[in-house]
Amino acid sequence: MHVSGYATGSRKVLRSELDQDSDEGLVTNIINGVQSDSDEFRFAAQIFVKLNNTFEYKCTGSLVTENYILSAGHCAVRNKIQLSPDSYRIVLGSRSLGDPNSGTDYYNVVKINSGDYVTSKAHDIALFRLEKPVPSSVATPIKIYPFRVYNKLLVTVAGWGVTKAGSATPSNVLLKTVVNISSSSNCTKYNPNWTTNYGALLCQESYNGNDSCQGDSGGPLVTVYGGKQVLVGVTSKGRNKNPKFTNKCGKNNIAYYTRVGYFLNFISNETGVSPRSLTPDLDIQF
C-alpha cells in the first residue's frame, strides 16, 4: 500500500502503510463503530511518526507492560527498513486523538523490535519501548490471550482510523466494533500466509460491514476473559474480495490480524516479563 497523507485540521493522518512492494494494503479505521467507554481501552495508544519535521498520526497500539507498546510490524517499517525510535511519539491515556506537535503529552520511543517482519509479512508485529514507565493513572497494560482462537470467539476491534470506506478523515475519538473470526476458504485465497486461526494470523470476514480501516493498523482485537479485556490480535491488513470494488474496508472485505498469543515468547524475550505475567491468571505450564 502506498502512503498518502490525509488532512485533519492542521495535521495529516497517514494511511497505515505496508511496504511499497506488498500486496493490497489494508485496514486501519473502524467501520460501523461506536465510541468506547471512558475506561474501556485504558491500554490503547496513539502512534505518531515524523514526516517533514512534523509528527503525524500513523497507527494504533496497545500498552502490554508499563513501558512497551505492541503494534503492527508495518507500523515500524518503511521500504523494508525499520524506522529509528526518534521518529516516533506515543500518546496514551486519552480517547480523543491528540497532537504531539501542539501540546498533547507524549512519550518518546527509545527502542523498536519488529522481529523478522521485513522478511516474513505474516509476522506483522512490533514492540516500541518507551523512554519511561507509564503511570497507572495514565494507562494500564492489557493481558495477552494465550489460547487458540475459534470462529465463535466474541471479539472487538478498536482504533482511531477512518469511519467510512474511502474517507480521508480519521476519527477524533477512539471507536470500537464487533467483528467476525472466520476460517472459510477465502482466508487462504486472499492471503496464502494464513493457514489456520491457531497460527500467526487470524482471519476476519466482514458480513455486515463492521471492519477496521485506515488508521487502525496495529490496533487491538480483544475479547473478554475472566471479566476483563484481553488482547487477542493486532490489526494487520486486508482487502476487498471483489477486485472491481475500490473500498478497502467495510462491506465485502476480508481482514487479517496478527495473533498475539503466537508471539508470546517473542514479547516475553523483548520486554523481560515472563509469559505467565503477560497473560491472565491461568493454571498453565509454559
Side-chain angles (χ1 to χ4, degrees), residues 40-254:
E40 189 175 6
F41 291 89
R42 285 183 48 80
F43 54 87
Q46 303 167 25
I47 301 176
F48 293 79
V49 67
K50 184 185 290 185
L51 186 67
N52 298 326
N53 295 317
T54 300
F55 285 91
E56 302 175 358
Y57 178 69
K58 180 179 179 66
C59 288
T60 303
S62 299
L63 185 72
V64 291
T65 74
E66 62 179 5
N67 61 343
Y68 271 95
I69 301 294
L70 182 69
S71 190
H74 72 263
C75 293
V77 172
R78 182 182 296 161
N79 297 327
K80 295 185 178 181
I81 299 174
Q82 182 174 285
L83 298 177
S84 64
D86 60 6
S87 298
Y88 290 89
R89 286 180 177 175
I90 310 290
V91 174
L92 288 147
S94 175
R95 286 188 301 164
S96 299
L97 188 65
D99 183 359
N101 302 292
S102 61
T104 301
D105 289 339
Y106 61 84
Y107 289 81
N108 290 316
V109 176
V110 295
K111 182 183 178 183
I112 300 172
N113 187 344
S114 56
D116 62 352
Y117 170 72
V118 169
T119 57
S120 180
K121 293 298 184 291
H123 295 177
D124 194 4
I125 196 166
L127 284 160
F128 297 76
R129 182 173 180 171
L130 305 180
E131 62 176 338
K132 58 185 178 181
V134 179
S136 59
S137 58
V138 173
T140 51
I142 185 172
K143 298 290 187 179
I144 294 169
Y145 184 77
F147 306 114
R148 289 185 173 187
V149 175
Y150 298 90
N151 289 5
K152 292 184 179 180
L153 185 68
L154 297 176
V155 289
T156 299
V157 62
W160 283 272
V162 299
T163 57
K164 182 179 180 181
S167 170
T169 305
S171 174
N172 283 321
V173 66
L174 183 65
L175 298 178
K176 63 176 182 177
T177 193
V178 174
V179 294
N180 301 104
I181 298 294
S182 173
S183 58
S184 79
S185 59
N186 286 330
C187 294
T188 302
K189 178 180 179 180
Y190 294 102
N191 188 344
N193 288 324
W194 182 90
T195 52
T196 70
N197 288 320
Y198 308 156
L201 289 176
L202 302 172
C203 179
Q204 172 235 317
E205 287 192 85
S206 179
Y207 306 111
N208 53 12
N210 293 5
D211 200 1
S212 53
C213 196
Q214 286 78 23
D216 295 327
S217 278
L221 181 74
V222 302
T223 192
V224 175
Y225 179 85
K228 296 181 179 181
Q229 284 187 331
V230 288
L231 187 62
V232 176
V234 167
T235 303
S236 178
K237 67 175 185 177
R239 62 184 296 178
N240 200 301
K241 290 180 283 188
N242 188 334
K244 296 181 180 179
F245 293 162
T246 58
N247 61 299
K248 301 298 183 184
C249 37
K251 187 176 180 181
N252 202 43
N253 272 255
I254 190 162

